[in-house]
Amino acid sequence: MTAARTAARGVVGRYKLLALVALGAAAVLVGMLMFGNLNRNLVYYLTPDEALAQQADYPDGRRFQLGGLVVDGSVATTPQGVSFTVTSDIGPAGVEVPVTFEGAPAQLFGSDIGVVLEGSWRAGTFTSDTMKVKHDENYQPAEDPAS
């Protein structure tokens, strides 16, 4: 083996090592961008039984999201918005949390519908100012009273 051939192999080996380091750095950068952005866009919420169990972790004023089903017959209009009760389970075994929502509720809001609320505890009542309503993909327009 000649000295020129050995030197050429050394140069090729260094380029391969450099390419591997560059690929590794690119993979780490792509992973950081993907998972870093993913964590910021994830939405977590507590169910009513989790919210009551962790109530000490969320003192009055600390915001979190609460998700559950609106209890049938619990919706009442107030001067500031609506008050109602959410539960984590349909039936008598479900834990219920009283909610006061300040503002105009979503158009699809009603009894027996899933909601995700953002707010905080205020003297044992969950006070919310942001509401997201869960619904399925079936849409039916309101009936026209003139027809």
Side-chain angles (χ1 to χ4, degrees):
M1 188 176 289
T2 64
R5 202 169 186 186
T6 303
R9 281 189 171 177
V11 170
V12 171
R14 276 188 247 147
Y15 281 124
K16 283 183 181 178
L17 181 62
L18 183 62
L20 284 174
V21 169
L23 281 173
V28 168
L29 180 64
V30 168
M32 288 175 54
L33 289 173
M34 285 179 55
F35 291 110
N37 288 333
L38 185 64
N39 281 338
R40 277 186 241 131
N41 292 323
L42 290 176
V43 176
Y44 298 103
Y45 63 87
L46 300 176
T47 60
D49 51 343
E50 291 173 334
L52 286 176
Q54 299 175 20
Q55 192 169 4
D57 298 336
Y58 294 93
D60 287 357
R62 183 175 171 200
R63 295 178 67 84
F64 67 97
Q65 291 189 340
L66 173 70
L69 295 172
V70 178
V71 175
D72 187 26
S74 68
V75 179
T77 303
T78 65
Q80 293 82 23
V82 291
S83 65
F84 53 95
T85 305
V86 293
T87 183
S88 56
D89 191 17
I90 296 175
V95 174
E96 296 182 351
V97 171
V99 175
T100 299
F101 178 76
E102 299 171 352
Q107 287 184 337
L108 297 176
F109 175 75
S111 295
D112 291 331
I113 195 163
V115 292
V116 176
L117 306 152
E118 185 174 338
S120 61
W121 289 113
R122 190 178 301 161
T125 300
F126 186 77
T127 303
S128 171
D129 57 3
T130 303
M131 176 188 292
K132 297 173 190 166
V133 176
K134 294 181 181 179
H135 61 86
D136 61 11
E137 70 279 1
N138 299 322
Y139 173 76
Q140 294 188 352
E143 292 184 22
D144 187 9
S147 61

